[in-house]
């Protein structure tokens, strides 16, 4: 501890303070001339950046640490990770825009019929399988909205179904290295081959997935959560929600080909962004070309025209089909803005008119839709009114002409970029001030450099730090650097730490705070937009048993793997 001074203390304090604001954002209003009242939020996007600015001003970190946080250090390249995920997210989200995930959910619903327990299990398997391939974000984006409408239509308590969806999506993201940004950090930080990563994590994933479902089935065994029989009147029309079969087939083939090529080229140590970016570019060109063809041939409505499926009620195909199949009222009128409601079982029967898809002009945020919002007096002029009106018109025309791109664009996880870079920079600051070396020494003392204690130490710490170290991304970066800094740490123990961290950083999202992962923040935001409020204590309560079982079973399997291999 001799190298720790006042600068080190300040750096550590500001690191955890920024994490507190990520967990509990603080908002306040400021009125400025001309602009009007501005709502400022210190949270996910702004808190780490403010902490970096203060630390830089206090000379606790310098340009070298900022550069390393962007370009990379210790084999971890932040830009590589972010380009990879934006590219894959574009391919996955544009695939979701075609309606293929909703069609899969409808198909599973038909297979489950009116058997509630069977349907609950089928949905869990479906969400797990899709998350293994496309990652958790598309499931959170599309699956959450579907389950909100589905549970409202069938008068089900949504908690059991939404918690199951969230757990399945995040648990399955540990299988492929592209399933979660934390997986890429681990692969690069510990120099693990992409194919080898899947070989290491497939058994822990299977164990965690089974344990998670067992925990969910146990805690939702009461029929008030998952009834034995559901009220059905008709089967759902799968074709009704598959909006664009051609694009769905092309997008699926392109995404699967991309994943195969990435795994094959990983043996040649090619940076993954050099593979995923061209594939995303090819998908972008296809989307523009195919939408232009459909627009000019009248397959999609021109600007100002209504879709045939929306001409009567204004509902999107998913909602219309649910209303038809579940004998829901067809004359419900939905308000123009989201209504707030408490999602209790008794109120869900009348909830359909209160929940609606997000307006196209709103961003679907990764955590907070905007950290700065501007509100004007009703009788005051709008700033740059003519220019903004013209831009709105241009945007509307382009969105009608190229609906795939303009639907996917606001859903891309751009919020990941400043947040991830700021987390890398803050942890570089901790390293610069000597904290990473100190933590490495503590790891050596606690584990005695032994493999099995290392698995459980890193695994349990990983789950805990997901909640208190700036989401699972911050926890993964921090622990990766700590293992590297541990003096004379054996290769076998380092590899055991890497696989334990891969398990804990994914199941750690199924945790006690929404901010344990960006997926959790996104999930909470979508539910809020749909009018469902889940308290932090409720989220923690229902996740406790699945998390404890997955942590115990997953780390036990990792322990057995490491003992057999080493």
């Amino acid at each position: 501890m001799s190298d720790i001074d006042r600068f080190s203390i300040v750096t550590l304090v500001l690191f955890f303070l920024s994490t507190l604001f990520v967990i509990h954002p603080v908002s306040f209003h400021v009125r400025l001339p001309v602009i009007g009242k501005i709502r400022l939020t210190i949270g996910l996007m702004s808190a780490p950046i403010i902490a970096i600015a203060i630390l830089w001003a206090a000379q606790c970190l310098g340009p070298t640490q900022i550069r390393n946080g962007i370009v990379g250090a210790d084999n971890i390249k932040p830009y590589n990770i972010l380009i990879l995920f934006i590219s894959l997210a574009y391919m996955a989200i544009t695939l979701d825009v075609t309606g293929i995930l909703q069609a899969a959910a409808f198909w599973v619903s038909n297979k489950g019929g009116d058997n509630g327990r069977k349907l609950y299990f089928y949905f869990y398997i479906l969400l797990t399988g899709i998350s293994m391939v496309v990652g958790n974000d598309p499931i959170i984006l599309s699956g959450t909205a579907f389950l909100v409408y589905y549970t409202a239509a069938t008068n089900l308590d949504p908690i059991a179904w939404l918690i199951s969806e969230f757990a399945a999506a995040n648990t399955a993201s540990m299988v492929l290295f592209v399933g979660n940004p934390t997986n890429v950090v681990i692969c690069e930080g510990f120099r693990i081959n992409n194919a080898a990563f899947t070989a290491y994590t497939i058994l822990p994933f299977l164990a965690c997935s089974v344990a998670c479902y067992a925990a969910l089935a146990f805690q939702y065994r009461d029929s008030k959560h998952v009834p034995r029989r559901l009220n059905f009147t008709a089967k759902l029309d799968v074709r009704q929600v598959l909006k664009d079969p051609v694009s769905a087939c092309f997008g699926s083939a392109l995404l699967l080909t991309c994943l195969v090529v990435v795994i094959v080229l990983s043996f040649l140590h090619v940076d993954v962004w050099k593979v995923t970016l061209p594939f995303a570019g090819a998908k972008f060109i296809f989307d523009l070309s195919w939408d232009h063809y459909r627009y000019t041939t009248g397959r999609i409505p021109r600007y100002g025209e209504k879709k045939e499926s929306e001409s009567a009620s204004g509902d999107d195909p998913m909602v219309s089909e649910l209303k038809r199949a579940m004998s829901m009222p067809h004359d419900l009128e939905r308000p123009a803005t989201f209504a707030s409601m408490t999602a209790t079982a008794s109120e869900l029967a009348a909830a359909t008119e209160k929940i609606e898809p997000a307006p196209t002009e709103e961003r679907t945020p990764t955590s907070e839709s905007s950290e700065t919002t501007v509100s004007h007096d009703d009788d005051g002029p709008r700033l740059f009114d003519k220019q903004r009106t013209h831009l709105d018109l241009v945007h509307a025309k382009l969105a009608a002409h190229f609906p795939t791109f303009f639907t996917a664009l606001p859903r891309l996880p751009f919020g990941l970029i400043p947040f991830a870079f700021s987390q890398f920079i803050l942890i570089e600051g901790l390293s610069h001030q000597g904290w990473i070396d100190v933590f490495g020494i503590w790891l050596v003392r606690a584990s005695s450099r032994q493999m099995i204690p290392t698995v459980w130490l890193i695994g349990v710490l990983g789950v805990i730090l997901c909640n208190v170290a700036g989401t699972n991304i911050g926890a993964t970066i921090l622990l990766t650097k700590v293992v590297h800094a541990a003096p004379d740490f054996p290769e076998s123990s380092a590899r055991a730490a890497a696989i334990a961290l891969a398990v804990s950083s994914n199941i750690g999202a199924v945790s006690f705070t929404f901010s344990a992962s960006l997926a959790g923040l996104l999930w909470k935001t979508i539910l809020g937009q749909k009018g469902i409020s889940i308290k932090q204590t409720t989220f923690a309560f229902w996740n406790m048993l699945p998390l404890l079982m997955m942590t115990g079973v997953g780390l036990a399997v990792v322990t057995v793997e490491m003992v057999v291999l080493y």
Side-chain angles (χ1 to χ4, degrees):
M1 296 287 289
S2 58
D3 294 334
I4 301 301
D5 54 18
R6 65 184 185 278
F7 294 103
S8 304
I9 301 296
V10 168
T11 303
L12 187 64
V13 169
L14 282 176
F15 174 78
F16 282 108
L17 276 178
S18 69
T19 300
L20 287 177
F21 284 112
V22 170
I23 297 173
H24 294 291
V26 175
S27 299
F28 53 91
H29 288 88
V30 176
R31 184 176 292 277
L32 298 176
V34 181
I35 297 177
K37 185 184 291 185
I38 297 180
R39 180 175 178 267
L40 298 177
T41 300
I42 301 177
L44 178 78
M45 303 301 168
S46 54
I49 295 174
I50 293 172
I52 291 170
I54 295 173
L55 290 174
W56 196 0
Q59 298 183 347
C60 294
L61 55 80
T64 301
Q65 286 70 50
I66 293 175
R67 179 186 179 279
N68 289 343
I70 297 173
V71 177
D74 297 330
N75 300 316
I76 301 175
K77 302 173 183 176
Y79 67 88
N80 186 13
I81 297 168
L82 295 175
I83 294 174
L84 161 70
F85 269 90
I86 296 298
S87 302
L88 285 175
Y90 178 79
M91 287 189 282
I93 291 172
T94 52
L95 180 61
D96 178 35
V97 168
T98 66
I100 190 171
L101 300 187
Q102 293 175 355
F106 273 27
W107 181 80
V108 166
S109 176
N110 291 336
K111 290 294 181 183
D114 62 353
N115 189 318
R117 302 295 173 86
K118 183 188 292 186
L119 188 62
Y120 190 73
F121 175 70
Y122 284 177
F123 272 133
Y124 184 83
I125 295 298
L126 171 69
L127 297 169
T128 298
I130 296 175
S131 295
M132 288 174 59
V133 180
V134 301
N136 54 10
D137 280 349
I139 292 298
I140 297 299
L141 285 165
S142 184
T144 304
F146 170 80
L147 286 175
V148 167
Y149 287 113
Y150 188 87
T151 53
T154 52
N155 197 22
L156 292 169
D157 176 15
I159 293 294
W161 303 79
L162 292 170
I163 291 291
S164 172
E165 173 230 7
F166 186 76
N170 285 285
T171 304
S173 62
M174 77 171 74
V175 178
L176 293 179
F177 84 104
V178 294
N180 196 317
T182 61
N183 299 347
V184 185
V185 172
I186 292 168
C187 284
E188 294 201 344
F190 292 95
R191 295 184 176 180
I192 299 176
N193 180 274
N194 300 336
F197 179 86
T198 299
Y200 281 122
T201 58
I202 187 66
L203 292 179
F205 152 70
L206 291 173
C208 286
S209 187
V210 171
C212 181
Y213 182 78
L216 292 169
F218 174 77
Q219 67 185 15
Y220 296 127
R221 62 191 181 278
D222 195 307
S223 58
K224 70 179 181 181
H225 297 299
V226 182
R228 295 185 180 279
R229 293 293 171 186
L230 304 180
N231 298 321
F232 278 89
T233 59
K235 284 194 173 184
L236 297 170
D237 184 358
V238 175
R239 183 64 185 81
Q240 181 70 19
V241 291
L242 187 58
K243 305 170 188 175
D244 187 359
V246 173
S247 186
C249 293
F250 180 85
S252 301
L254 192 70
L255 180 59
L256 291 174
T257 303
C258 176
L259 295 177
V260 171
V261 172
V262 165
I263 292 173
V264 171
L265 291 183
S266 67
F267 292 97
L268 303 177
H269 305 290
V270 177
D271 286 345
V272 288
W273 73 268
K274 295 179 180 178
V275 180
T276 57
L277 188 58
F279 273 93
K283 184 62 168 63
F284 170 72
I285 294 172
F286 170 83
D287 290 335
L288 295 186
S289 303
W290 177 241
D291 282 348
H292 176 71
Y293 170 76
R294 293 194 298 161
Y295 187 82
T296 55
T297 57
R299 298 191 179 194
I300 55 177
R302 294 180 178 273
Y303 174 71
E305 296 178 358
K306 271 190 174 182
K307 297 180 181 179
E308 292 181 4
S309 59
E310 296 181 353
S311 58
S313 64
D315 289 326
D316 64 22
M318 180 179 70
V319 179
S320 298
E321 179 60 18
L322 282 171
K323 284 182 176 182
R324 182 200 64 78
M326 308 303 176
S327 296
M328 299 178 68
H330 289 260
D331 57 349
L332 297 176
E333 292 185 1
R334 297 173 300 148
T337 57
F338 297 114
S340 60
M341 70 175 187
T342 303
T344 61
S346 61
E347 294 170 328
L348 279 173
T352 305
E353 72 271 21
K354 294 184 178 182
I355 50 179
E356 61 175 339
T360 56
E361 69 270 17
E362 292 186 2
R363 284 182 63 95
T364 299
T366 53
S367 63
E368 303 157 52
S369 59
S370 175
E371 301 243 349
T372 303
T373 58
V374 181
S375 59
H376 300 275
D377 298 330
D378 293 337
D379 56 350
R382 191 168 72 150
L383 195 63
F384 303 118
D385 184 64
K386 290 184 179 180
Q387 293 83 350
R388 292 170 67 177
T389 301
H390 175 70
L391 288 176
D392 289 342
L393 179 61
V394 171
H395 177 270
K397 290 181 177 180
L398 288 174
H401 198 134
F402 305 106
T404 302
F405 174 73
F406 280 92
T407 302
L409 184 63
R411 294 171 60 179
L412 288 172
F414 290 119
L416 176 65
I417 297 174
F419 175 75
F421 278 138
S422 62
Q423 289 300 117
F424 279 108
I425 293 170
L426 283 174
I427 292 171
E428 283 294 326
L430 291 177
S431 178
H432 177 63
Q433 294 298 334
W435 282 113
I436 300 299
D437 291 332
V438 171
F439 297 153
I441 293 172
W442 290 355
L443 175 61
V444 169
R445 291 176 180 174
S447 66
S448 300
R449 299 188 178 91
Q450 298 300 307
M451 187 171 59
I452 295 177
T454 299
V455 169
W456 290 90
L457 274 170
I458 295 296
V460 173
L461 277 175
V463 171
I464 295 172
L465 288 176
C466 285
N467 294 272
V468 298
T471 77
N472 53 0
I473 296 177
T476 303
I477 300 167
L478 178 61
L479 289 176
T480 298
K481 286 187 170 292
V482 167
V483 173
H484 279 302
D488 301 322
F489 213 59
E491 175 63 26
S492 59
S493 295
R495 184 53 55 94
I499 307 308
L501 185 55
V503 173
S504 63
S505 65
N506 284 277
I507 66 173
V510 189
S511 204
F512 306 119
T513 63
F514 294 110
S515 62
S517 68
L518 293 178
L521 295 168
L522 175 61
W523 187 71
K524 178 188 176 185
T525 300
I526 294 173
L527 290 180
Q529 291 177 337
K530 302 301 181 187
I532 292 182
S533 175
I534 295 182
K535 295 181 179 179
Q536 185 74 73
T537 52
T538 304
F539 181 74
F541 175 78
W542 289 121
N543 281 337
M544 185 178 300
L545 182 60
L547 177 62
L548 290 175
M549 289 189 65
M550 287 194 292
T551 301
V553 171
L555 295 181
V557 173
V558 173
T559 301
V560 172
E561 280 187 340
M562 294 300 107
V563 170
V564 170
L565 292 174
Y566 292 101

